[in-house]
Amino acid sequence: MAMIKLSATPLDVNALYQVLKAPEYGGIVTFVGTVRQWTGPIETQSIDYSAYAEMAISQLNKLAAPIEAKGARVVIVHRIGHLDLMDEAVFVGVAAAHRADAFEWCQYLIDTLKKEVPIWKKEFDTDKVRWGIKDGTND
């Protein structure tokens, strides 16, 4: 069963990767999103993430279910709370028998998460504060 969580504590990327390892999987693909300093000309200092937790977990499970039904393993953990530059904000991992499937499914999960899952970010920039849903428009 997929590991799906929202976490108020820092992500242990190595431990999450270890959850994906198993003898039946020949390909493991992970994506780790971090808080970056620059988005074009905008300089970010930190981000606060919040979520409609019950709905976010439900939607993430719905995204993971058809992938796991094909024999893969899925791990998705997203931070909530205050994050500083370079902090890990999200971990998405897929373990599959073959690498092509793992790549495809990992990209699908992060892209869909950013567009559809109710996780919001409040960005503290050097000159203002911006609010927005994680919609992938300023990746």
Side-chain angles (χ1 to χ4, degrees):
M1 184 166 170
M3 173 191 273
I4 307 291
K5 295 186 347 181
L6 299 176
S7 176
T9 59
L11 304 183
D12 183 341
V13 172
N14 186 52
L16 295 171
Y17 171 78
Q18 295 302 317
V19 172
L20 293 165
K21 290 180 76 173
E24 64 268 29
Y25 302 126
I28 298 175
V29 175
T30 63
F31 172 81
V32 179
T34 61
V35 177
R36 67 171 173 266
Q37 184 175 12
W38 293 97
T39 302
I42 299 170
E43 185 176 7
T44 300
Q45 294 179 324
S46 62
I47 296 178
D48 284 351
Y49 285 102
S50 58
Y52 178 0
E54 187 175 289
M55 183 180 282
I57 295 295
S58 175
Q59 286 183 328
L60 291 170
N61 276 309
K62 285 179 186 174
L63 292 175
I67 294 169
E68 289 219 324
K70 295 176 183 177
R73 181 175 293 166
V74 174
V75 173
I76 305 172
V77 182
H78 202 296
R79 283 287 307 276
I80 54 172
H82 185 80
L83 281 74
D84 292 315
L85 294 177
M86 300 187 302
D87 284 348
E88 288 87 4
V90 62
F91 178 97
V92 176
V94 176
H98 303 285
R99 70 179 178 274
D101 291 335
F103 274 107
E104 177 185 345
W105 294 334
C106 189
Q107 181 163 8
Y108 166 78
L109 288 170
I110 188 60
D111 289 349
T112 307
L113 178 160
K114 291 180 71 61
K115 291 176 186 167
E116 297 180 6
V117 178
I119 298 172
W120 300 276
K121 59 183 175 180
K122 182 178 182 181
E123 296 185 65
F124 297 90
D125 300 330
T126 55
D127 61 342
K128 66 185 175 304
V129 174
R130 294 179 293 136
W131 271 99
I133 191 164
K134 288 184 49 138
D135 63 2
T137 58
N138 64 350
D139 290 342

